[in-house]
Amino acid sequence: MELAKTTWTYVEEYLKRSQTLIIPIGSTEQHGPTALIGTDYITATKIAQEVGENLGLLVAPSLNYGMANHHLGFPGSASLNPSTYIKVHLELLEGWISQGFKNFVYINGHGGNIMPLNCAISELKRSDNESKVSIFNWWHLPSVREYEEKHFGDENGHHATCGEVSLTMFTEPEAFKQIESKSFKIEPKSHHWPLSPKEMKIYHPDGRMLSNPGLSTAKHGENLLELSVNEISEKIKSF
Ligand code: NI
């Protein structure tokens, strides 16, 4: 059930049987010339909504902006600084905790969010409170990794990956009608990290990072969605 499509009275009743809230988080950032700027929140939102349906749990609206400073050289990308991102999560969590939510399950679609989100949780857990927070970076799930390794191998890459692009091809077929798919050559480069926006454009001029999204298909996306939803659902049930 989507939190945004319920009423406060529904949530009050829900809290009597469950104190769990699923929170999808992503980013609004370029994903190379052939994939969507919303990729990271589109994937996280879809997985979160299906997990919520599976388990009868409430799903918060996705946080569609993330920590993506290195993408700012590409038009359309948006980013919150780590310090801002930490505060946003702390303030959202504190509000929900004050109402009785205790268990928070983040479903994350963007690597840049991992570090500041972990910082936010560390700050939250500085005081003794009963809240429990778990984070699923869906592309790190063992079943997803195994599938991507088998079907995409070294061409999956680190950004605008075959896996995430496939998932959006499955959920957003209309958007992809406007985009011509093409194959890319992969040219490994070693560099320091993190990168500034200017450095990002020097090392990864078209925005991909070692990926060939030309291998992506909606069918792979459907399979990856199912694997992610099943694995996350099983893990939540075992908590
Ligand atoms: Ni992404």
Side-chain angles (χ1 to χ4, degrees), residues 27 29-31 36 39-40 43 71 109-111 158-161 164:
S27 181
E29 70 186 41
Q30 69 82 19
H31 272 72
L36 307 180
T39 297
D40 294 352
T43 52
H71 292 298
H110 173 53
H158 302 305
H159 178 65
T161 66
E164 63 178 345

